[in-house]
Amino acid sequence: MTEQTEIVQQGERLQKILAQAGVGSRREMEEWITAGRVTLNGEVATLGMRAVEGDVVCADKRVIHVKGQAEQGLPRVLLYHKQEGEIVSRDDPKSRTSVFDHLPKLRGQKWIAIGRLDFNTCGLLIFTTSGELANRLMHPRFEVEREYAVRVQGEMTPEQMRQMTKQGIELEDGLVRFEKLSDEGGEGFNHWYRLVLKEGRNRVVRRTFEALNLTVSRLMRVRFGIVNLPPSIKRGKMAELGDEEVKMILAWVGLPTEDVDKQDPPRKLRAKSDKNADRDVAPKDVSTPTVSKTTGRRGQADMSRSRAHRKIKTGAKP
């Protein structure tokens, strides 16, 4: 084995480098490599190739200069409180407001949305610069929990609630079953529920209620995995997680959390929002814990639920 081959074997696989750079998931990058859309130092790459510090990887128009671990640092993670009337897409034929319009600009990287929310759904959106982290949180095989507060026109029967959590509801794209479903009360015609599920199919919550002839009048995501939406992040605002919180998430999904020698200087976020909203951006270190330190992936628990529950039970907007 030559010295050059030994060096290459010590590097990272190209699909991992591209995923960490935010180009796409590892599986997508493997498809790109197979299709000849990736080059390593000017040569068309093949599956199994590795790159080391100083190499140049090109994927279509994206150019990635491979850096050492200390230079890469930790991925960035943002929490954003999505408002109704925003889309989670960079391209929209209707030119509607996109959540990506509000995010800080990046050089050599891109923000990846972890899980989508439809146009009329609000609540927690997580953005990261790590494609691998996004894949671990979104891929169905990892079964990461999503928790929602749902306001319904009308009230469910005990039989309907049991069906949602026991037998499941058959939709056109397969069976859906909620992990948890609790009645949170309400006033008048509107009734609130709290639910947990481990998948992110398109409009799955709304479609499940529609299958029971119940209309969802408001839907809000309040938790994704071990990350909760803090009350301090108002609609249209965002906060960037600190290094320790990022490391906690990385460890929870099974990704390395090595310390880095060089720390980036503090970053100021500028959040765009509606004219009536506060102009101040939520602080980086929010007062309410956003990441649970004690729960595992299969024993996830919500933190600071009582306040949200009180709002729901009194009919106030969560």
Side-chain angles (χ1 to χ4, degrees):
M1 183 178 291
T2 65
E3 181 180 354
Q4 182 179 1
T5 304
E6 290 176 354
I7 293 174
V8 172
Q9 290 297 323
Q10 293 173 0
E12 296 283 6
R13 293 187 181 274
L14 296 184
Q15 57 265 38
K16 181 177 180 180
I17 291 172
L18 292 169
Q20 289 176 334
V23 181
S25 68
R26 286 198 192 189
R27 180 174 297 180
E28 290 173 329
M29 295 303 97
E30 289 174 357
E31 294 174 354
W32 282 29
I33 294 171
T34 302
R37 298 170 61 181
V38 178
T39 62
L40 174 60
N41 297 328
E43 297 183 3
V44 177
T46 58
L47 282 176
M49 278 189 171
R50 297 170 180 263
V52 296
E53 184 176 358
D55 285 344
V56 179
V57 181
C58 296
D60 286 350
K61 296 181 180 180
R62 289 288 303 277
V63 179
I64 295 94
H65 296 271
V66 181
K67 302 176 181 179
Q69 179 63 40
E71 195 174 354
Q72 288 180 25
L74 292 168
R76 295 177 66 178
V77 179
L78 289 179
L79 306 187
Y80 178 70
H81 189 157
K82 179 188 176 298
Q83 308 174 91
E84 293 95 340
E86 296 177 328
I87 62 168
V88 189
S89 175
R90 288 183 170 85
D91 301 310
D92 179 40
K94 300 180 181 179
S95 300
R96 292 171 294 184
T97 301
S98 169
V99 294
F100 290 97
D101 297 338
H102 307 313
L103 305 184
K105 303 299 181 183
L106 294 174
R107 295 183 62 185
Q109 294 178 307
K110 72 173 183 179
W111 291 114
I112 304 170
I114 298 176
R116 290 174 175 265
L117 293 175
D118 66 35
F119 186 71
N120 294 319
T121 300
C122 63
L124 175 64
L125 266 179
I126 305 174
F127 294 91
T128 181
T129 55
S130 169
E132 186 65 16
L133 174 58
N135 183 58
R136 292 291 181 98
L137 287 171
M138 288 190 291
H139 199 284
R141 72 186 178 94
F142 293 107
E143 297 186 332
V144 175
E145 289 185 350
R146 289 90 157 152
E147 184 168 354
Y148 296 85
V150 187
R151 189 179 68 190
V152 177
Q153 293 178 0
E155 188 172 351
M156 300 178 68
T157 65
E159 291 75 16
Q160 288 175 325
M161 294 185 67
R162 281 194 295 269
Q163 184 180 358
M164 278 191 169
T165 56
K166 302 299 182 182
Q167 299 95 334
I169 305 295
E170 190 66 43
L171 303 178
E172 62 270 19
D173 54 353
L175 188 73
V176 60
R177 182 184 297 108
F178 295 160
E179 300 298 316
K180 299 175 185 177
L181 177 62
S182 59
D183 187 333
E184 302 299 331
E187 294 180 354
F189 189 56
N190 290 313
H191 209 86
W192 284 97
Y193 296 91
R194 176 78 57 132
L195 63 89
V196 175
L197 72 164
K198 292 182 178 179
E199 59 176 287
R201 276 184 276 171
N202 185 40
R203 300 184 71 253
V204 64
V205 175
R206 293 181 186 274
R207 290 189 292 122
T208 304
F209 279 90
E210 288 170 1
L212 297 176
N213 296 316
L214 293 168
T215 300
V216 172
S217 58
R218 188 143 192 265
L219 180 59
M220 179 178 184
R221 185 159 66 200
V222 296
R223 177 170 65 88
F224 198 112
I226 59 171
V227 182
N228 297 276
L229 178 63
S232 58
I233 304 180
K234 306 305 179 184
R235 297 182 191 180
K237 300 296 185 179
M238 70 189 80
E240 182 162 6
L241 296 186
D243 288 348
E244 292 306 313
E245 292 173 308
V246 173
K247 290 178 183 178
M248 194 182 304
I249 296 173
L250 293 173
W252 186 73
V253 300
L255 291 176
T257 60
E258 291 90 348
D259 290 330
V260 292
D261 297 327
K262 299 169 73 174
Q263 298 292 335
D264 293 332
R267 294 178 284 263
K268 293 183 179 180
L269 300 180
R270 295 185 178 273
K272 298 179 182 178
S273 59
D274 58 78
K275 295 181 180 179
N276 297 323
D278 250 334
R279 296 186 64 185
D280 294 331
V281 179
K284 182 175 179 180
D285 296 318
V286 295
S287 57
T288 302
T290 59
V291 181
S292 169
K293 297 183 179 181
T294 58
T295 56
R297 188 178 306 170
R298 299 197 179 271
Q300 303 167 16
D302 186 24
M303 296 182 64
S304 303
R305 283 187 176 182
S306 58
R307 180 175 179 181
H309 280 192
R310 285 197 298 272
K311 290 182 179 180
I312 290 173
K313 288 179 179 178
T314 58
K317 294 182 179 180

